[in-house]
């Protein structure tokens, strides 16, 4: 059954980097209960045939008062993200959800390797918050790729987490020339990691140009397609 669409109020607008913004929104009718890694569908009043549906992952786990934290980058010429960038506190949005299967595996018996580029880090943040809140001790490595130093999303948070939790490692990469370079820089790390420990639980998120070559590489290394969890944004 389709999830009902409901209005939500924008409670706050915060710039996280020069091109990434956070909106905290509150659904007005029904509280949305979701698992970290899931997303909501926004129905935006723009484009040739409105509504324009755009998906956004939650950046924070479910809160008792039902607020949702959405984080997105401004895509040059992007209709959906440009609309979101002009919203102010008090404005309304239409949304439905939650949706998606990009959630923590039920059995956490191997190291989790989270690999994401740019706003692909949004569901990873939500998942990591759940892991640390639940005191799960599974070792985790996060490889985060940013298009430049200023756009290294959540960098300070990851550093703090790495200092607080011995089970968490964070590797930060900068790839200024898009997804191809991002893949080229990520692959050697992944290769040496797989040498250290043959079987891990990989979760990948970002645009297809980033995620697909990494999944293909993991499958060449003997991973079953289902063992590699992916969320693609485009
Ligand atoms: C399940 C799911 C969850 C998502 N969660 C998020 C999220 O938490 N944060 C977020 O910023 N986006 C997220 N997205 C992407 C989002 O739905 C939009 O596609 C994005 O904001 C671009 O929409 P647009 O209308 O502005 O651009 P469009 O006009 O649709 O242009 C999209 C093009 O811009 C490029 N691009 C650059 N950055 C992105 C990006 N972040 N996502 C998609 N394409 C991009 C791609 O090459 C793509 O072809 C998610 C998408 C899916 C399917």
């Amino acid at each position: 059954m389709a999830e009902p669409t409901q209005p939500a109020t924008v409670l706050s607008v915060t710039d996280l980097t020069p091109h990434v913004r956070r909106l905290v929104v509150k659904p007005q009718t029904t509280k949305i209960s979701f698992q970290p890694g899931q997303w909501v569908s926004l129905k935006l009043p723009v484009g040739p045939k409105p509504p324009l549906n755009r998906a956004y992952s939650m950046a924070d786990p479910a809160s008792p008062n039902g607020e949702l934290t959405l984080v997105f980058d401004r895509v040059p010429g992007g209709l959906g993200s440009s609309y979101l960038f002009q919203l102010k506190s008090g404005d309304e949005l239409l949304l439905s959800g939650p949706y998606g299967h990009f959630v923590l595996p039920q059995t956490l018996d191997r190291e989790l390797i989270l690999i994401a580029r740019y706003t692909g880090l949004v569901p990873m943040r939500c998942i990591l918050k759940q892991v640390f809140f639940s005191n799960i001790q599974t070792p985790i490595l996060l490889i985060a790729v940013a298009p430049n130093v200023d756009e290294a999303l959540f960098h300070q948070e990851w550093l703090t987490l790495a200092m607080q939790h011995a089970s968490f490692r964070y590797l930060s990469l900068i790839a200024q020339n898009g997804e191809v370079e991002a893949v080229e820089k990520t692959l050697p790390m992944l290769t040496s990691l797989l040498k250290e420990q043959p079987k891990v639980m990989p979760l990948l998120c970002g645009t297809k140009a980033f995620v697909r070559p990494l999944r293909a590489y993991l499958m060449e290394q003997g991973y079953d397609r289902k063992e590699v969890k992916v969320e693609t944004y485009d």
Side-chain angles (χ1 to χ4, degrees):
M1 201 174 68
E3 301 295 329
T5 295
Q6 59 173 314
T9 310
V10 176
L11 299 183
S12 68
V13 179
T14 312
D15 286 330
L16 300 185
T17 74
H19 296 284
V20 176
R21 187 163 278 190
R22 176 178 67 209
L23 291 186
V24 177
V25 305
K26 182 159 183 181
Q28 290 173 10
T29 318
T30 314
K31 186 174 160 183
I32 294 182
S33 299
F34 65 91
Q35 291 183 62
Q38 290 193 299
W39 47 277
V40 286
S41 174
L42 305 189
K43 285 97 186 41
L44 307 174
V46 288
K49 274 203 228 156
L52 180 78
N53 292 311
R54 287 288 182 265
Y56 292 92
S57 312
M58 270 64 81
D60 276 314
S63 74
N65 60 8
E67 293 172 6
L68 306 174
T69 307
L70 309 179
V71 172
F72 45 87
D73 62 310
R74 189 199 287 266
V75 172
L79 275 178
S81 56
S82 299
Y83 177 80
L84 292 178
F85 260 83
Q86 53 80 49
L87 288 176
K88 301 176 301 302
S89 191
D91 286 347
E92 265 190 15
L93 275 170
L94 284 177
L95 53 75
S96 67
Y99 304 104
H101 304 284
F102 188 71
V103 295
L104 263 188
Q106 290 214 322
T107 311
L108 298 172
D109 53 359
R110 291 179 253 153
E111 179 167 10
L112 274 171
I113 308 292
L114 313 182
I115 307 178
R117 178 178 175 272
Y118 205 21
T119 44
L121 287 163
V122 175
M124 304 304 196
R125 179 178 189 265
C126 201
I127 288 171
L128 282 171
K129 285 203 156 194
Q130 175 197 15
V131 165
F132 294 122
F133 181 75
S134 315
N135 212 9
I136 293 169
Q137 297 299 324
T138 307
I140 304 176
L141 170 68
L142 172 69
I143 302 180
V145 189
N148 60 61
V149 175
D150 292 340
E151 295 294 324
L153 193 56
F154 309 130
H155 178 64
Q156 211 45 55
E157 271 190 60
W158 308 134
L159 289 177
T160 306
L161 278 181
M163 283 194 291
Q164 289 171 339
H165 301 273
S167 58
F168 179 65
R169 290 187 291 159
Y170 165 50
L171 292 173
S172 168
L173 285 174
I174 302 293
Q176 293 184 324
N177 300 306
E179 283 94 337
V180 174
E181 186 191 343
V183 171
E184 280 169 8
K185 289 194 165 171
T186 307
L187 274 177
M189 284 195 173
L190 199 51
T191 308
S192 58
L193 202 97
L194 296 183
K195 271 191 206 139
E196 271 172 39
Q197 185 176 339
K199 271 280 180 184
V200 296
M201 279 184 279
L203 277 80
L204 317 176
C205 186
T207 51
K208 286 177 187 144
F210 178 69
V211 166
R212 286 186 170 171
L214 296 177
R215 176 171 61 186
Y217 174 77
L218 284 159
M219 288 171 67
E220 280 166 23
Q221 305 308 306
Y223 282 76
D224 186 77
R225 200 179 177 86
K226 282 193 187 143
E227 287 180 297
V228 186
K229 272 192 171 270
V230 301
E231 188 76 283
T232 50
Y233 274 8
D234 53 349

